[in-house]
Amino acid sequence: MYRKEQPLHPKPLIRDLLKEKQAELTAAERKLSAVLLDDSLVAGLQSITRLAEAAEVSTPTIIRLARKLGFDGFPDLQDAIREEIAARMKRPLAKLEVGPRPGDHIIARFTEAVAANINRTLDRLDLATFDAVAALLSDPARRLHLLGGRITRSNAHYFFNHLQIIRPGVTLLDSSPSVWPQALLDMGPEAVLVVFDIRRYERELEKLAGLAVEAGAEVVLFTDAWGSPIERHAAHVFRAMVEVPSAWDSTLAINLLIEALVAEVQTRAARSSAERISTLEGMIGASKIFRG
């Protein structure tokens, strides 16, 4: 019998398999998937018992995830992880350089953590999701509503500031839940709710997302590695790494995604956005707001 020395098609990457299967996974399996992806699969080189402890799941959960990915069991998955990591180490990677490190200074440690967050966020980024969200946000028929939580309110505000210059029909929701019912009046099938929610997750935001979906709106969620409960309502999800050597989480990786989306939305709506920016500059010039 003829035996092929090389497969006709390259084997899919474990990282890609984990992303593709997200919708089919249980909550425990998604938790395990996040642990594997967070550490570029290195966590998968541990024993099944230690991996279960690290992910806070059961060993049967690990076996079930392996089988859902198309492997006979955990040993088979672990062999594939070893091969993938070895292959990745053999080729140069375009990684963010952190530059000179002045000892153990907080600047060095913080920069290194942020660089790792950005790299790991990009490793996990589903480009199809990015393109789908960019198409949604650049569609003038869609009315956009943005809202952030206690920590991510500034991210929502930053995104709003750019989008409302590029296109019409963009609203930044008030931080007070008492006024959200009025906003829900405008959330029909053509509405998109862009919501930011990282740990500690906010129950009010989840409630709003559920009501928006009931009204026919699509939800785009920006969250952290562990995943906000809003994920079950969201049509599109971006998970970003947020841990840094601080009592506060960092949203710099989230802002990278925001700025990339702003650039893509402006490209997709180049003519109309150019007209809006030109009109805005004319208004600013006429009003002399920024002149001495």
Side-chain angles (χ1 to χ4, degrees):
M1 179 182 289
Y2 173 70
R3 182 177 181 273
K4 296 189 292 289
E5 294 301 323
Q6 295 294 334
L8 184 59
H9 300 290
K11 290 189 295 185
L13 296 174
I14 309 290
R15 288 173 294 170
D16 293 340
L17 288 173
L18 287 168
K19 293 172 187 175
E20 290 168 8
K21 298 286 185 180
Q22 284 297 309
E24 303 173 25
L25 303 183
T26 65
E29 289 163 354
R30 285 199 302 272
K31 193 174 182 181
L32 172 59
S33 173
V35 169
L36 290 171
L37 289 170
D38 287 352
D39 204 21
S40 298
L41 302 180
V42 174
L45 298 180
Q46 306 175 86
S47 70
I48 191 170
T49 304
R50 290 200 174 184
L51 177 56
E53 291 174 353
E56 297 180 344
V57 299
S58 66
T59 53
T61 295
I62 297 174
I63 296 168
R64 284 196 300 270
L65 177 63
R67 289 175 177 164
K68 283 187 179 180
L69 297 179
F71 298 97
D72 292 335
F74 179 65
D76 195 17
L77 170 60
Q78 199 169 52
D79 287 343
I81 289 174
R82 287 194 187 96
E83 291 177 10
E84 188 168 319
I85 291 175
R88 196 161 67 233
M89 292 174 66
K90 288 177 182 176
R91 67 179 187 271
L93 294 177
K95 289 296 185 182
L96 182 66
E97 296 293 337
V98 299
R101 303 177 193 176
D104 194 39
H105 193 279
I106 180 59
I107 288 293
R109 291 186 286 115
F110 201 91
T111 301
E112 188 169 2
V114 168
N117 282 349
I118 290 173
N119 286 325
R120 289 159 64 196
T121 297
L122 294 178
D123 281 343
R124 302 180 57 174
L125 179 63
D126 181 355
L127 296 183
T129 296
F130 182 93
D131 292 342
V133 171
L136 268 182
L137 300 184
S138 59
D139 183 352
R142 298 280 192 162
R143 183 166 183 83
L144 310 183
H145 305 264
L146 291 87
L147 180 64
R150 186 173 60 91
I151 300 299
T152 52
R153 194 168 300 139
S154 60
N155 300 98
H157 199 284
Y158 184 76
F159 206 5
F160 163 77
N161 280 341
H162 287 77
L163 287 175
Q164 59 97 24
I165 293 174
I166 296 171
R167 50 151 296 165
V170 185
T171 302
L172 180 66
L173 272 62
D174 192 281
S175 60
S176 173
S178 64
V179 300
W180 293 350
Q182 293 97 301
L184 283 165
L185 289 173
D186 296 323
M187 290 191 195
E190 299 302 318
V192 178
L193 173 63
V194 180
V195 61
F196 298 81
D197 189 34
I198 64 174
R199 62 180 186 182
R200 304 173 174 176
Y201 311 116
E202 299 183 36
R203 187 174 301 173
E204 293 86 357
L205 294 179
E206 182 187 0
K207 182 65 174 177
L208 175 66
L211 292 171
V213 170
E214 287 179 14
E218 282 192 63
V219 173
V220 176
L221 171 66
F222 289 82
T223 187
D224 53 30
W226 304 276
S228 161
I230 295 172
E231 281 196 359
R232 68 169 175 262
H233 303 296
H236 307 284
V237 177
F238 294 106
R239 282 192 177 195
M241 307 302 120
V242 299
E243 286 191 293
V244 287
S246 165
W248 304 94
D249 286 329
S250 167
T251 61
L252 285 172
I254 290 176
N255 252 33
L256 181 143
L257 297 175
I258 289 172
E259 294 196 4
L261 280 167
V262 166
E264 180 62 10
V265 170
Q266 185 165 357
T267 298
R268 288 173 181 245
R271 179 176 296 180
S272 59
S273 65
E275 290 173 356
R276 283 178 65 83
I277 292 170
S278 177
T279 301
L280 177 62
E281 289 177 344
M283 290 177 176
I284 292 172
S287 65
K288 299 181 181 180
I289 292 174
F290 297 109
R291 293 183 182 180

